Amino acid sequence: MPAKNLTANRSALGHRVSYALRHPHRVPRHLVRATRDAWLRYRYPDHVSYYRAVMRSDTRTSPEAAVGSRTHERWLALGAMQFDYLLGHGLRPEHRMLEIGCGNLRAGWRFISHLEPGHYYGIDISPEILAAAQDTLVRQGLQNRLPTLTPVRDLTLRFLPDAHFDVVHAHSVFSHSPLPVIEECLAHVGRVMAPGGWFDFTFDRTEGVEHQVLREDFYYRTETLITLAEKHGLSARFMTDWEELPHGQSKIRVTHREAGQTP
C-alpha cells in the first residue's frame, strides 16, 4: 500500500486537477459520484440521511464495495486485519462488544465467531447493509451465535444499557462523518462502556488543512479528535502500532478517564 499522504488537501482545485491528470481512467467514476452527491445533497440535507442514501445506492451494486472493499479478497483481508488487531490487544470470548457501523460484517463475522453467544451487538444507519449482514451470517453458519443487528437513526446510543460493553469498535465510520456526528458519538459512548473498556475508531488523518470530499470522505488532524474525546471526559491516544499495518486510515483508542486524571 502506498505511504499515506498526510499533507494533501484533496478538496483543493489544484489537487483535483493534478490527480485527474495522473489518473484519467478514474475521472468518469468520480464524475458519476459527484453527480450522485449533488442529487443526494439536495434531497437529504442532514448528513446521516445523506449517507444512509449513499449506502443504499452502494449496497444495491455491491455490499462488499459499499463497505470499502473492491474485491472479495480485500474484504476478507481487511476483516482479518481488524480481528487480529483486537485479538492482539486482548479481545476475549467473554467480552461484550458493540460494533458501530458494522456494515455487512466484514470483520463482524470473525468477532461473532470468537465471542460467546449473544455477546456481539452491531449497529448501522443502513437497513440495506444490515440485510447483507444477515446474508453473511448465513454464509458463515453463525446463526447459533445469536448476534444482535440493529438499524439506528443517530449515534446517541440511548437505547443501550449503561456500562455494558467491554469493547466498542468503529472502523471506517468517522472517516465518513462530519465533526457534529463524531462528537455525538463521543458524548455518549462513555456511558455504555464498561469499566476498563475501550473504544477503537479509525479516521482519515491529515497533518495539513482539515477537509472533506463530496461529503463522503473527511480528513482530520489527530489532535482535533483527541481534544474532542477529552471534552467529553474521556482519555484518547493515537495507536502507533496500527500505523504499521497496510491500511490507509489511522486509529485512536478512547477509554474512561481515571479518577483525578486531567486532560
Side-chain angles (χ1 to χ4, degrees):
M1 173 173 288
K4 298 176 184 178
N5 187 338
L6 298 178
T7 58
N9 182 347
R10 294 159 183 81
S11 65
L13 179 61
H15 176 87
R16 288 183 288 166
V17 170
S18 175
Y19 187 89
L21 292 174
R22 286 182 285 116
H23 305 282
H25 60 287
R26 298 182 181 177
V27 171
R29 184 165 65 88
H30 179 79
L31 291 176
V32 170
R33 185 179 164 198
T35 301
R36 181 185 71 174
D37 170 76
W39 170 240
L40 294 181
R41 186 165 12 120
Y42 170 75
R43 292 194 63 192
Y44 305 102
D46 73 283
H47 184 77
V48 172
S49 296
Y50 161 81
Y51 205 75
R52 184 180 294 115
V54 169
M55 289 297 294
R56 183 185 308 118
S57 173
D58 287 348
T59 303
R60 191 179 300 123
T61 301
S62 166
E64 293 186 355
V67 298
S69 301
R70 299 202 176 280
T71 67
H72 183 64
E73 290 71 24
R74 185 62 176 160
W75 186 83
L76 290 170
L78 286 176
M81 187 187 306
Q82 296 170 60
F83 175 73
D84 291 344
Y85 185 82
L86 279 187
L87 199 65
H89 279 260
L91 179 67
R92 302 193 303 271
E94 66 269 22
H95 280 155
R96 297 184 183 275
M97 181 177 186
L98 169 66
E99 186 162 30
I100 299 171
C102 63
N104 70 331
L105 301 181
R106 177 171 59 182
W109 73 266
R110 299 175 189 272
F111 296 136
I112 292 165
S113 181
H114 175 70
L115 297 170
E116 293 178 3
H119 280 217
Y120 176 91
Y121 204 113
I123 63 174
D124 205 288
I125 64 169
S126 169
E128 290 79 13
I129 203 66
L130 288 177
Q134 293 175 355
D135 295 336
T136 300
L137 284 176
V138 172
R139 284 196 303 271
Q140 299 298 331
L142 294 171
Q143 297 94 324
N144 63 342
R145 308 301 290 182
L146 297 174
T148 300
L149 302 174
T150 301
V152 295
R153 293 172 292 181
D154 53 42
L155 294 183
T156 61
L157 310 175
R158 59 185 182 273
F159 63 97
L160 295 173
D162 291 356
H164 186 74
F165 295 102
D166 304 289
V167 179
V168 184
H169 186 249
H171 186 93
S172 293
V173 175
F174 290 176
S175 54
H176 302 300
S177 302
L179 275 180
V181 173
I182 296 174
E183 181 164 17
E184 180 177 78
C185 182
L186 291 173
H188 295 92
V189 70
R191 181 186 64 79
V192 304
M193 286 166 50
W198 73 87
F199 170 33
D200 278 8
F201 64 83
T202 62
F203 67 105
D204 280 325
R205 179 162 64 100
T206 181
E207 294 179 355
V209 175
E210 296 183 331
H211 59 282
Q212 57 87 17
V213 179
L214 296 179
R215 296 178 72 202
E216 292 185 34
D217 301 304
F218 292 77
Y219 294 81
Y220 296 109
R221 297 174 68 90
T222 303
E223 54 267 30
T224 296
L225 300 181
I226 287 178
T227 299
L228 198 59
E230 291 174 344
K231 173 184 174 182
H232 293 285
L234 302 167
S235 294
R237 63 187 176 99
F238 185 74
M239 303 302 286
T240 55
D241 58 346
W242 175 263
E243 296 292 295
E244 301 168 6
L245 301 176
H247 194 276
Q249 296 180 10
S250 296
K251 187 184 288 285
I252 286 175
R253 174 162 297 172
V254 170
T255 57
H256 288 292
R257 186 180 298 161
E258 297 179 6
Q261 182 180 354
T262 58

